[in-house]
Amino acid sequence: MGYTQAKESIGASFAQTGLDYIDLYLIHAPFGGREGRLGAWRALVEAQQAGKIRSLGVSNYGVHHLDEFEAYIKELEAEKGKGKGGIVSVGQWELHPWLARPDIVGWCQERGVIIQAYSPLVRAKRFDEPAIQSLVKKYSKTPAQILVRWTLQKGFVPLPMSVTHSRIDENANVYDFEFTAKDMTILQTDDYAPCGWDPTTSKD
């Protein structure tokens, strides 16, 4: 993805949706090399300045990619004026107790970037973990609710995916309990175990 492709994708998004503007537009992955990444960002910034997009963000970027963007934004501001380089407002990553990404999370928190967590339920692969089951019993909640609650208490926006109405309701029913600091420690691991792809490590 580069400048031209990004502009075409933005145009296609409006053609397909019929919308006047889009609230949030993300670059899905850091592939395409430095020139491609920065070109895509420039296309998004131009669309934002034209009033077509409200907020911009990235998905699956590693800290080295984020640092690259930060430097580029400063270059654009030096060339075009303050505020003309765009702002990374939102970042989206796979996040759960077995992939907590403290380096990326720290980078975002220092800069006020909203963190969205996809695959917070780990595709149901960790529901039988002792730590999960201990909290299931303590709070009389499901494993999915335990993981959504962890996500919220970490300060992330959880993005659980389901097409089943009962599970959607279940995932939302997490505001009648709260973990203690000890509970959060029980769910803390040093694992680095993606359940999907992991472009954050790309050196492209």
Side-chain angles (χ1 to χ4, degrees), residues 37-96:
R37 285 189 294 273
L38 301 187
W41 181 255
R42 183 160 57 90
L44 263 63
V45 170
E46 289 177 1
Q48 183 184 47
Q49 291 173 350
K52 296 179 179 179
I53 300 171
R54 179 171 293 174
S55 299
L56 307 178
V58 296
S59 182
N60 301 302
Y61 274 51
V63 168
H64 56 297
H65 302 123
L66 295 169
D67 285 341
E68 176 186 84
F69 258 31
E70 189 168 59
Y72 182 58
I73 288 169
K74 290 178 181 177
E75 289 177 17
L76 288 176
E77 288 189 334
E79 176 187 340
K80 300 183 178 183
K82 189 168 180 61
K84 299 295 185 179
I87 297 173
V88 179
S89 298
V90 178
Q92 188 180 105
W93 292 272
E94 179 186 339
L95 287 161
H96 45 72

Side-chain angles (χ1 to χ4, degrees), residues 107-128:
W107 194 99
C108 291
Q109 289 176 338
E110 287 176 7
R111 294 159 177 81
V113 177
I114 295 170
I115 301 170
Q116 295 181 335
Y118 71 78
S119 294
L121 308 186
V122 206
R123 300 182 182 177
K125 293 178 178 179
R126 299 278 190 163
F127 282 5
D128 293 330

